[in-house]
Amino acid sequence: MRGGFAYRASVAAKPWRDSVTETVERHEFGAEVGRLLDLVVHSLYSDREIFLRELVANAADAVDRRRFEALTQAVPALPENAAVRIIPDKAARTLTIADPGIGMTKDELAANLGTIARSGTRAFSQSLAEAKPGDRPSLIGQFGVGFYSAFMVADRVEVTSRRSGSEEAWAWASEGQGSYTLAPADRAEDGTDIVLHIKADAEEFLEPLRLQTIIRKWADHITIPITIARDGKDEPANDGTALWRKPKSEISEESYAELYRHLGHVFDKPWATLHWRAEGALDFTALLFVPGMKPFQVVEGERESRVRLHVRRMFITDQAELLPPWLRFVQGVVDTEDLPLNVSREMLQATPVLARIRRAVTSRVISELKSRAKDAEDYASFWENFGTTLKEGLWEDAEHRKDLAPLLRFRSSAVEGWTSLADYVTRMKEGQEAIYVLTGDASEALAKSPQLEGFRARGVEVLLLSDQIDAFWPERLERFEEKPIRSITQGAVDLSKIAGQDGTPDEAADLSRLLPLLKDALKDQASDVRATDRLVDSAVVLAAPADGLDLHQQRLLQRAGRSFGAGMPVLEINPRHPLIRTLAARAETDAGVAEIAEMLLDLARVQDGDSPRDPAAFARRVADAIAAGMRSPPAA
């Protein structure tokens, strides 16, 4: 039912005829109503104020349906001042919702209010299947079980309705206990009144200010005027303008900005505004905003999208997850004609229609970001605000992973500012087979890491990844433009195919004796000790085994108390470094090499931003080494 409720004081106070000659009919609810009424009242909705949204939705749909039938059938036109009226009466403890809508006959009252989800509007919608698109009404709703939410706040509900074009009115009444009555009634005009006899614990819903707040929250953009009676006057309760339904040519930038601020409770301007109408297999309108600044996150770790879902202008929920978590920074409204206004409004996630809308909206946002990314300076401001969030999609969303890759931006060891994977590929050296990345806690520290020495010596660019999610997504993306993405701390990196800078490198030491000694000394702390050609100025560096986790990923998991999968690191040594050459010479006589092995491993840990295994022991070894150096005579 979307029966209208045009309130008259005499009807609200006394819905029955003064002299009732006909017998009042008593009916039992349909079996499904009897089983579900208790569930509706006590369990269906999480907030009692929802009842007003349901009843206003019904009333607004009834008005729109009458407007449509007035154009196509012999139904009287709507009055010029048609509005949904809400009348609280504290003295009588009643709340009335009235409209001049299509109304209901006796049979329709019994069918619509006596049986769950038999509003008649489904058949009405089907009868228009062959109608021209321009002739279809903008609002066609189902009454569903939303009406029964009235019993959350009322111990008796009375509905008086007169079908538009008829001279006969009927009254339906129930206390929500398994039965209802039908009787003839008087109503001077077409439409419907609902009178709720408010429970003692729900008197807050008789306060005009409370009602105003609910309407602003749930129905502010319904185009039919909604009024609330206060001190004998009807005061406007809703804005009445669904901005997203207007053509873009009629909307100013300031109007967009005002809605953006209203929806997000922010004060900046949107970085991007997306406004479009989808027609065809899906029928919906979307008005979305990408914020100009990173919003304050009230709940730490909250990842759900809060784009508002409207059905025929009526706000349904902001928890429909219309966008994936990695686009949760996007705000706005999606308004569709393809969903019913019934109980499923709180369980919409499972509907196929909503799934298709999600895919369409997500694709449109990605397309917009790709377009805006062409302006590097403008896109940089977006990336600094929301790049970390966007990268979450690389880890969790296989469907959109390849679409997201071109949108990524990184700091680099070779260029200033932000760079993309596509730009990186154009700068790859001859003989370079992979896109190299280095992950850590801060890009400034990564830029000074000894891990980069061999790459810089050969002019090989390395992307510096400093967000926590950067430790995880590369293994999911794997490659870009057929180039594998490779962490330089994982496995042995072979740079031999890439020409180095001019100059004669220092002679490499013979490590055939030293390596076995170091491996034996560190067998409980390092999975391997090997020579490397990716160091220039440093003596040692850490790496992860080829089949293990990246070093930074291991540290993040350990901090979170989840060290599963973290294996022992590999110690790589620079055979051209003076310290290693000295140790290689001592190894011929095994002169204290084993004692120095653990110091080398701790030195590599410190260089990598980690802590020594035993900081106190490391400090003692360093102090002893300094003291020994000071006792030695200076070189000639």
Side-chain angles (χ1 to χ4, degrees):
M1 170 205 116
R2 298 298 190 205
F5 314 150
Y7 174 80
R8 295 177 62 85
S10 60
V11 173
K14 191 176 182 180
W16 312 104
R17 289 175 182 245
D18 290 331
S19 57
V20 178
T21 58
E22 296 86 348
T23 302
V24 174
E25 301 178 11
R26 181 170 295 277
H27 301 265
E28 296 297 319
F29 279 119
E32 65 274 33
V33 179
R35 288 192 299 267
L36 289 177
L37 254 180
D38 186 68
L39 174 65
V40 169
V41 174
H42 297 105
S43 305
L44 182 60
Y45 295 108
S46 57
D47 195 330
R48 297 174 86 187
E49 71 180 34
I50 294 297
F51 86 93
L52 190 59
R53 179 188 74 179
E54 299 293 330
L55 299 184
V56 168
N58 295 338
D61 282 354
V63 173
D64 201 72
R65 179 169 174 176
R66 178 176 173 182
R67 179 186 291 125
F68 175 75
E69 290 196 5
L71 297 174
T72 60
Q73 302 177 31
V75 170
L78 279 168
E80 292 184 2
N81 60 344
V84 175
R85 301 182 64 218
I86 301 172
I87 307 101
D89 186 335
K90 292 184 181 179
R93 212 161 79 185
T94 61
L95 179 68
T96 301
I97 296 94
D99 78 64
I102 195 65
M104 288 178 286
T105 65
K106 173 186 174 182
D107 290 342
E108 287 172 334
L109 280 169
N112 296 335
L113 305 189
T115 307
I116 291 288
R118 286 188 59 192
S119 67
T121 46
R122 179 178 296 148
F124 172 65
S125 179
Q126 292 174 349
S127 71
L128 297 173
E130 298 180 0
K132 297 180 180 179
D135 294 336
R136 295 181 62 87
S138 59
L139 294 179
I140 303 174
Q142 294 177 344
F143 195 81
V145 300
F147 167 77
Y148 301 104
S149 65
F151 289 103
M152 293 191 298
V153 298
D155 50 26
R156 179 178 175 82
V157 178
E158 299 165 358
V159 180
T160 302
S161 189
R162 172 175 158 175
R163 187 64 158 83
S164 186
S166 171
E167 297 296 326
E168 189 177 67
W170 284 85
W172 176 102
S174 176
E175 296 177 355
Q177 300 297 319
S179 65
Y180 63 91
T181 61
L182 282 171
D186 286 323
R187 197 176 196 281
E189 298 174 351
D190 297 344
T192 306
D193 302 327
I194 289 186
V195 180
L196 283 68
H197 294 263
I198 299 297
K199 296 178 180 179
D201 65 348
E203 290 185 351
E204 62 178 292
F205 299 111
L206 296 175
E207 296 292 339
L209 185 59
R210 177 76 169 101
L211 298 171
Q212 174 83 53
T213 302
I214 297 171
I215 294 300
R216 287 290 186 186
K217 176 180 179 180
W218 296 106
D220 196 38
H221 295 286
I222 287 182
T223 55
I224 297 167
I226 302 171
T227 65
I228 297 175
R230 180 188 295 185
D231 300 327
K233 297 180 180 180
D234 286 346
E235 299 182 355
N238 67 324
D239 181 68
T241 302
L243 190 70
W244 53 89
R245 292 273 185 164
K246 290 184 175 183
K248 290 194 290 185
S249 59
E250 298 179 9
I251 306 175
S252 67
E253 290 299 319
E254 185 55 35
S255 295
Y256 278 131
E258 286 179 3
L259 179 61
Y260 163 70
R261 296 180 187 119
H262 170 73
L263 294 176
H265 305 288
V266 293
F267 301 97
D268 63 312
K269 292 184 178 181
W271 177 75
T273 300
L274 293 76
H275 186 190
W276 78 99
R277 173 73 182 270
E279 295 179 300
L282 287 175
D283 187 358
F284 69 89
T285 301
L287 177 52
L288 304 178
F289 303 100
V290 178
M293 61 185 294
K294 193 171 184 179
F296 174 72
Q297 189 173 7
V298 179
V299 180
E300 187 66 29
E302 188 177 69
R303 300 188 69 243
E304 292 77 18
S305 166
R306 293 298 183 185
V307 170
R308 296 161 60 98
L309 174 65
H310 289 237
V311 175
R312 309 174 193 99
R313 303 179 188 86
M314 172 63 67
F315 173 54
I316 302 301
T317 181
D318 64 355
Q319 298 179 4
E321 299 179 23
L322 290 166
L323 286 171
W326 45 271
L327 286 175
R328 61 185 176 273
F329 51 84
V330 177
Q331 303 172 11
V333 172
V334 172
D335 189 352
T336 181
E337 303 285 338
D338 295 334
L339 291 170
L341 278 168
N342 58 16
V343 65
S344 63
R345 65 182 63 193
E346 292 203 6
M347 294 173 281
L348 285 167
Q349 292 87 332
T351 66
V353 170
L354 198 64
R356 293 196 294 271
I357 291 176
R358 286 190 187 108
R359 287 194 292 270
V361 173
T362 300
S363 296
R364 183 60 181 263
V365 173
I366 292 175
S367 177
E368 177 70 14
L369 292 178
K370 287 181 178 179
S371 177
R372 296 291 295 266
K374 296 174 182 178
D375 184 335
E377 184 176 350
D378 179 49
Y379 188 70
S381 65
F382 160 80
W383 185 258
E384 289 169 2
N385 286 326
F386 304 111
T388 301
T389 305
L390 198 66
K391 282 188 285 189
E392 293 174 11
L394 296 167
W395 171 258
E396 64 191 23
D397 195 333
E399 180 181 355
H400 296 100
R401 194 167 290 145
K402 291 185 178 180
D403 292 322
L404 291 176
L407 297 173
L408 303 178
R409 296 295 183 269
F410 306 97
R411 299 299 183 185
S412 166
S413 66
V415 297
E416 295 292 330
W418 296 102
T419 190
S420 65
L421 289 173
D423 290 339
Y424 178 99
V425 170
T426 64
R427 296 190 293 265
M428 288 177 63
K429 301 286 289 185
E430 184 178 353
Q432 181 180 345
E433 298 176 347
I435 297 171
Y436 293 112
V437 301
L438 175 62
T439 59
D441 293 325
S443 57
E444 296 81 2
L446 291 175
K448 302 174 183 177
S449 172
Q451 301 275 5
L452 299 175
E453 290 176 1
F455 294 88
R456 281 204 174 100
R458 292 168 173 78
V460 175
E461 182 177 359
V462 178
L463 299 177
L464 309 177
L465 283 55
S466 57
D467 294 324
Q468 289 192 5
I469 188 65
D470 290 330
F472 302 95
W473 64 259
E475 67 183 64
R476 295 285 177 90
L477 184 59
E478 293 184 343
R479 57 184 60 243
F480 178 81
E481 293 186 4
E482 304 306 317
K483 303 291 184 181
I485 299 174
R486 177 89 181 269
S487 169
I488 65 174
T489 69
Q490 191 169 19
V493 179
D494 183 8
L495 300 177
S496 61
K497 297 180 180 179
I498 305 173
Q501 296 177 349
D502 295 337
T504 303
D506 294 332
E507 182 180 352
D510 181 1
L511 303 181
S512 58
R513 175 64 179 163
L514 178 62
L515 288 177
L517 291 175
L518 293 177
K519 289 179 183 180
D520 184 64
L522 299 174
K523 59 185 177 182
D524 296 327
Q525 300 183 55
S527 61
D528 194 12
V529 181
R530 63 189 178 216
T532 182
D533 64 351
R534 65 189 184 100
L535 292 175
V536 177
D537 300 318
S538 299
V540 291
V541 73
L542 289 181
D547 58 351
L549 300 177
D550 172 86
L551 291 179
H552 184 58
Q553 190 176 18
Q554 291 185 32
R555 286 194 291 271
L556 289 176
L557 292 174
Q558 288 169 350
R559 292 174 195 169
R562 300 172 59 189
S563 57
F564 175 79
M568 292 189 295
V570 174
L571 178 65
E572 295 188 343
I573 60 177
N574 179 4
R576 293 181 172 81
H577 193 276
L579 173 59
I580 302 302
R581 283 190 289 161
T582 299
L583 288 177
R586 287 189 180 185
E588 298 300 324
T589 59
D590 195 15
V593 172
E595 290 76 11
I596 299 176
E598 193 162 347
M599 178 179 276
L600 291 177
L601 185 59
D602 282 340
L603 181 63
R605 289 190 178 111
V606 171
Q607 287 180 161
D608 214 41
D610 207 350
S611 299
R613 188 175 184 181
D614 185 344
F618 177 70
R620 286 195 298 272
R621 293 190 191 101
V622 171
D624 291 343
I626 293 174
M630 294 179 69
R631 287 194 297 270
S632 301

